[in-house]
Amino acid sequence: MKNPWDGIIPEEEQQVYEAAGFGRRAGLGRKPALLIIDVQYRSVGTTPQPIQEAIKEYPTACGDVGWAAVGQIATLLKDFRAKGWPVIYPYVSRKESFDKGRISDRVPTVMGIEGRGYDFIEDVAPVEGDILLPKKHPSSFFGTPLASYLVEAGVDTRVVVPHEAVYDRSQVSHAVNLFDMAAKYADVMSVNELQVELAKIA
Amino acid sequence: MKNPWDGIIPEEEQQVYEAAGFGRRAGLGRKPALLIIDVQYRSVGTTPQPIQEAIKEYPTACGDVGWAAVGQIATLLKDFRAKGWPVIYPYVSRKESFDKGRISDRVPTVMGIEGRGYDFIEDVAPVEGDILLPKKHPSSFFGTPLASYLVEAGVDTRVVVPHEAVYDRSQVSHAVNLFDMAAKYADVMSVNELQVELAKIA
Amino acid sequence: MKNPWDGIIPEEEQQVYEAAGFGRRAGLGRKPALLIIDVQYRSVGTTPQPIQEAIKEYPTACGDVGWAAVGQIATLLKDFRAKGWPVIYPYVSRKESFDKGRISDRVPTVMGIEGRGYDFIEDVAPVEGDILLPKKHPSSFFGTPLASYLVEAGVDTRVVVPHEAVYDRSQVSHAVNLFDMAAKYADVMSVNELQVELAKIA
Amino acid sequence: MKNPWDGIIPEEEQQVYEAAGFGRRAGLGRKPALLIIDVQYRSVGTTPQPIQEAIKEYPTACGDVGWAAVGQIATLLKDFRAKGWPVIYPYVSRKESFDKGRISDRVPTVMGIEGRGYDFIEDVAPVEGDILLPKKHPSSFFGTPLASYLVEAGVDTRVVVPHEAVYDRSQVSHAVNLFDMAAKYADVMSVNELQVELAKIA
């Protein structure tokens, strides 16, 4: 299998997208930035374990698949730090009493995340100089100044999603979202392939 | 089967979401608005036919599944017009020469849509008093004043997605996106169920 | 004199606005919220004094005029707390090393604000349940989720600016901005007049 | 007098800003774009005349001062076209019946602008390849995809306001807004000075 969505998106559906002209790659630019999301303990749990166990610690935790992705993020993070390229952490703000009634209507359990849940995972935590952006919504762009920081840093690279470095609690949903993004919004590639592309930038 | 994603999202994955507390419904408010999207000929083609044929007319056309959804939209539209509730059409702006280099990098064929492609489908076209909002991005909110119009109209209803009235070119992607929305962002229900809920509003 | 801008905006200019139809009031709604800005010590200094002295403590401090406004804010805040209406504090985030090169290009001195500069002024500080929104830009809306919180709270009141409860480092600029807002964007009224209007809301 | 606000913002107020460190210039980048606003007949009238007469044609018209600025815009536009740099026109959308109740609450006369009011002034009208962005709000950024187009075009130049090429219906308000912008948000310079700076870009 070549793509993470093979076997999930039927072959004939993939052929329609291909015939209609979707999914061309846009390529990297000259000034990349690394956007790191979902690296708080609330998203993976404090220790690797199957998701069925992980949700007992934090309802939002994805367990093993999250920890596997964190390992890949660490690899890319090392590359970006070596080059001195910008590293940006949009992160989930601790829920406050005034946040009740929003996302908590649909997922009431998110209000109860405590302790280390909002801390960054140690292996990939931010360091001095990294850009930290609290967010109240799932999107890293909505209601945050992320766009301003990208412009300020002169970032010119289109969206690339290294597929082993992202994760979701449903493997089917994960694969299908990668397919959707590859069709219309992002270059989806392996971490290894991305490292090769990044190495070409002076 | 009860949900559009049954048989696509594995049962054990659905159980994890349930156990973690995802997917509670938020309910309607007292002031709904109907947001109608994807009702230009470019999205379905000028006549119902299988998608493999439809994309030969417009690469973005979904064919039969789109036309089926348009029929359901017409049903809801009639209800909203009878009540005098706001009807909003965020629609895709005709691509101009200055749009080249954006989405067209990934889907170059979208630059070539002509003729009636940007016209509204006759059965569900806007009438005087409806709110028309041109958009340049896939999202109806990004780069448009949609949020302002919703606030101005006093709309208080959370997002409801009537699943037969929306569509996508991949059936798997369609079902999975409904699942994701139901888990975190929207009340996903049948058109019939929505009509029952709307009838309860004075 | 009736308006804060009388004597600054010439009479004949005011007549043109009047003749062209600018400056009608929009009125309050039924659900107000209090948006409190510029109540960190960086904006007024830690003690009331003339601005020429205040800027020696913090370059952004306005001194006496700021402290006078804070007293008026305290009055309105008391009214809102008594009614249980939402109180929102968009506040300036502490400048981090990664903020260098933005606003700091034009006002390099803002990078050096330390100590209590980012603390809230004690008399009008937030309490449990108030909505706190860090901002990186001057606007309270840009790059923040403020709009979402207003919608979530069902706030339906148009913008009202109580003129003694806002301030600026230039009195001319202050008066002229009130005039511009009254002409096009807000109901500008005295704190007393606003209290009378608020008392009419059940 | 050196600045457009001299004689309006008192000398002692200007000294406070200077002492506090406001108003440093940020300088141009390497990739400028020309943002042209307020060049529809509604903003100046169909012919140059005093504002007292101009508002009888369109309540929003500024008359002579607007026409003087349009002449300066034409000069800069010629320079940008010669260089092939991007030219962007955020423009006011024709008011529709569904726009009633927004800005029209404060300025009810804006709903009645007809005829050529929304047409571009002939001397500075857009040509094929220019970026046209309809707007419903006064800001060119709010509810429009302007930011996306600037990013897409790789524009890296901070905001410069050539003061003879902008205008307002109040001369005092105009001068004071230039002062505010120069203090915090933009490099305010003469058209001539800007031309010199632009000529330095390859």
Side-chain angles (χ1 to χ4, degrees):
Chain A
M1 285 193 213
K2 194 168 119 277
N3 294 308
W5 50 83
D6 288 338
I8 293 175
I9 301 288
E11 186 58 31
E12 64 271 23
E13 290 195 351
Q14 295 195 38
Q15 283 165 1
V16 167
Y17 279 68
E18 172 67 24
F22 285 81
R24 303 290 173 268
R25 283 197 174 169
L28 279 73
R30 308 296 307 165
K31 287 193 143 190
L34 183 62
L35 210 66
I36 301 189
I37 56 169
D38 294 337
V39 292
Q40 291 163 282
Y41 288 110
R42 69 193 291 285
S43 299
V44 293
T46 52
T47 189
Q49 54 181 331
I51 188 168
Q52 288 83 354
E53 294 307 307
I55 60 175
K56 294 174 188 168
E57 183 179 23
Y58 302 124
T60 47
C62 294
D64 289 329
V65 294
W67 279 97
V70 167
Q72 300 288 327
I73 291 169
T75 299
L76 286 168
L77 180 55
K78 205 178 146 191
D79 293 354
F80 272 74
R81 294 220 188 287
K83 292 278 196 174
W85 289 328
V87 178
I88 308 177
Y89 290 83
Y91 67 93
V92 180
S93 293
R94 191 174 291 272
K95 296 281 175 294
E96 306 285 351
S97 59
F98 61 79
D99 288 313
K100 203 162 161 8
R102 295 161 54 82
I103 180 74
S104 71
D105 273 5
R106 289 192 206 288
V107 195
T109 51
V110 301
M111 292 303 288
I113 293 172
E114 286 171 7
R116 300 172 64 199
Y118 288 96
D119 292 353
F120 287 106
I121 299 168
E122 209 176 329
D123 320 353
V124 291
V127 299
E128 173 70 18
D130 290 341
I131 298 173
L132 288 170
L133 299 174
K135 63 175 185 163
K136 289 285 188 179
H137 291 275
S139 163
S140 294
F141 282 92
F142 187 81
T144 78
L146 172 56
S148 308
Y149 283 94
L150 291 174
V151 168
E152 177 68 27
V155 172
D156 67 348
T157 293
R158 308 299 178 85
V159 181
V160 176
V161 177
H163 62 76
E164 309 100 317
V166 292
Y167 62 98
D168 199 348
R169 56 184 59 75
S170 157
Q171 294 322 292
V172 171
S173 174
H174 180 55
V176 169
N177 282 312
L178 289 172
F179 171 73
D180 279 350
M181 285 189 285
K184 292 176 281 187
Y185 312 122
D187 288 4
V188 174
M189 54 181 78
S190 68
V191 168
N192 211 261
E193 205 176 347
L194 175 55
Q195 287 183 300
V196 170
E197 291 301 314
L198 288 170
K200 294 176 187 167
I201 300 173
Chain B
M1 284 193 215
K2 191 166 122 280
N3 294 308
W5 51 82
D6 288 339
I8 292 174
I9 301 288
E11 186 58 31
E12 63 271 23
E13 289 194 351
Q14 295 195 39
Q15 283 165 1
V16 166
Y17 279 69
E18 172 67 26
F22 286 81
R24 303 290 173 267
R25 283 197 175 169
L28 278 72
R30 308 297 307 164
K31 288 194 141 188
L34 184 62
L35 210 66
I36 301 189
I37 56 168
D38 293 338
V39 293
Q40 290 162 282
Y41 288 111
R42 70 193 290 285
S43 298
V44 294
T46 53
T47 190
Q49 54 182 334
I51 187 167
Q52 289 82 355
E53 294 306 308
I55 59 175
K56 294 174 188 168
E57 184 180 22
Y58 302 124
T60 48
C62 295
D64 288 330
V65 295
W67 278 98
V70 167
Q72 300 288 327
I73 291 170
T75 299
L76 286 168
L77 180 56
K78 206 178 147 191
D79 293 354
F80 272 74
R81 295 221 188 285
K83 292 277 197 174
W85 288 328
V87 178
I88 308 175
Y89 290 83
Y91 67 93
V92 180
S93 293
R94 192 175 291 272
K95 294 282 175 292
E96 308 285 351
S97 59
F98 61 78
D99 288 313
K100 200 159 164 8
R102 294 161 56 81
I103 179 74
S104 71
D105 274 5
R106 289 189 206 290
V107 197
T109 51
V110 302
M111 293 302 289
I113 293 172
E114 285 171 8
R116 300 171 64 198
Y118 288 96
D119 292 353
F120 287 106
I121 299 169
E122 210 177 328
D123 319 352
V124 291
V127 299
E128 172 70 20
D130 291 341
I131 298 171
L132 289 170
L133 299 175
K135 64 175 184 164
K136 290 285 189 181
H137 292 276
S139 163
S140 294
F141 281 92
F142 187 82
T144 79
L146 173 55
S148 308
Y149 283 95
L150 292 174
V151 168
E152 177 69 27
V155 173
D156 68 347
T157 293
R158 308 299 178 87
V159 180
V160 175
V161 177
H163 61 76
E164 309 99 318
V166 292
Y167 62 97
D168 200 347
R169 55 185 60 76
S170 155
Q171 295 320 293
V172 170
S173 174
H174 180 55
V176 170
N177 281 312
L178 289 172
F179 171 73
D180 279 350
M181 285 189 285
K184 291 175 282 186
Y185 312 124
D187 288 3
V188 174
M189 53 180 79
S190 69
V191 168
N192 209 260
E193 203 176 349
L194 175 55
Q195 287 183 300
V196 170
E197 291 301 314
L198 289 170
K200 294 177 187 166
I201 300 174
Chain C
M1 285 194 215
K2 193 166 121 278
N3 293 307
W5 51 83
D6 288 338
I8 292 174
I9 301 288
E11 186 58 31
E12 64 271 22
E13 289 194 351
Q14 294 195 38
Q15 283 165 1
V16 166
Y17 279 68
E18 172 67 25
F22 285 81
R24 303 289 173 270
R25 282 197 175 170
L28 278 72
R30 309 296 308 163
K31 286 194 143 188
L34 184 62
L35 210 65
I36 302 189
I37 55 168
D38 293 338
V39 292
Q40 291 162 280
Y41 288 110
R42 69 193 291 286
S43 298
V44 293
T46 53
T47 190
Q49 53 181 335
I51 188 167
Q52 289 82 353
E53 294 306 308
I55 59 174
K56 294 175 189 167
E57 184 180 22
Y58 302 125
T60 48
C62 294
D64 288 330
V65 295
W67 279 99
V70 167
Q72 300 289 327
I73 292 170
T75 300
L76 286 168
L77 180 56
K78 205 178 148 191
D79 293 354
F80 272 74
R81 294 219 188 285
K83 292 278 197 174
W85 288 329
V87 178
I88 308 176
Y89 290 82
Y91 66 94
V92 180
S93 293
R94 191 175 292 273
K95 295 282 175 291
E96 306 285 351
S97 59
F98 60 79
D99 288 312
K100 201 159 163 9
R102 295 162 55 82
I103 180 74
S104 71
D105 274 4
R106 288 191 206 289
V107 196
T109 51
V110 302
M111 293 302 289
I113 294 172
E114 285 172 8
R116 299 171 65 198
Y118 288 96
D119 292 353
F120 288 106
I121 300 168
E122 210 177 329
D123 320 352
V124 292
V127 300
E128 173 70 20
D130 290 341
I131 298 172
L132 289 170
L133 299 175
K135 63 174 183 162
K136 288 286 188 179
H137 292 275
S139 163
S140 294
F141 282 92
F142 187 82
T144 80
L146 173 56
S148 308
Y149 283 95
L150 292 174
V151 168
E152 178 69 28
V155 173
D156 67 348
T157 292
R158 308 298 177 87
V159 181
V160 176
V161 177
H163 61 76
E164 310 100 317
V166 292
Y167 62 98
D168 200 347
R169 55 185 60 76
S170 155
Q171 295 320 292
V172 171
S173 173
H174 180 55
V176 169
N177 281 312
L178 288 172
F179 171 73
D180 278 350
M181 284 189 285
K184 291 176 282 187
Y185 312 123
D187 289 3
V188 174
M189 53 180 79
S190 70
V191 168
N192 210 260
E193 204 176 349
L194 175 55
Q195 286 183 302
V196 170
E197 291 301 314
L198 288 170
K200 295 177 188 168
I201 300 174
Chain D
M1 282 192 215
K2 195 168 120 276
N3 294 307
W5 51 82
D6 289 339
I8 293 176
I9 301 288
E11 186 59 29
E12 64 271 23
E13 290 194 352
Q14 294 194 39
Q15 283 165 2
V16 166
Y17 280 68
E18 173 66 24
F22 285 81
R24 303 289 173 268
R25 284 198 175 169
L28 278 74
R30 307 298 307 165
K31 288 194 142 189
L34 183 62
L35 210 66
I36 301 190
I37 56 168
D38 294 339
V39 293
Q40 291 162 281
Y41 288 111
R42 71 193 290 286
S43 299
V44 293
T46 53
T47 189
Q49 54 182 331
I51 188 167
Q52 288 83 353
E53 295 307 308
I55 60 175
K56 294 174 189 168
E57 184 181 23
Y58 302 124
T60 46
C62 294
D64 288 331
V65 295
W67 279 97
V70 167
Q72 300 289 328
I73 292 170
T75 298
L76 286 168
L77 180 56
K78 206 177 146 193
D79 294 352
F80 272 73
R81 294 220 188 286
K83 292 278 197 175
W85 289 329
V87 178
I88 308 177
Y89 289 83
Y91 66 93
V92 180
S93 293
R94 192 175 290 274
K95 295 283 176 289
E96 307 286 349
S97 59
F98 61 78
D99 287 313
K100 204 166 158 5
R102 294 161 56 80
I103 179 75
S104 71
D105 274 5
R106 291 192 205 285
V107 196
T109 52
V110 302
M111 293 301 289
I113 293 172
E114 285 171 8
R116 300 171 65 198
Y118 288 96
D119 292 353
F120 288 105
I121 299 167
E122 210 176 328
D123 320 352
V124 291
V127 299
E128 172 70 19
D130 290 342
I131 298 172
L132 289 170
L133 298 175
K135 63 175 185 163
K136 290 285 188 180
H137 291 275
S139 163
S140 293
F141 282 92
F142 187 81
T144 79
L146 173 55
S148 308
Y149 283 94
L150 291 174
V151 169
E152 178 68 27
V155 172
D156 68 347
T157 293
R158 308 298 177 86
V159 181
V160 175
V161 177
H163 62 76
E164 310 100 318
V166 293
Y167 61 98
D168 200 347
R169 56 185 59 76
S170 155
Q171 294 322 292
V172 171
S173 174
H174 180 55
V176 169
N177 282 311
L178 288 172
F179 172 73
D180 278 350
M181 285 188 285
K184 292 176 281 185
Y185 311 124
D187 288 4
V188 174
M189 53 180 80
S190 69
V191 168
N192 211 261
E193 204 176 348
L194 175 55
Q195 287 183 300
V196 170
E197 291 300 314
L198 289 170
K200 294 177 188 167
I201 300 174

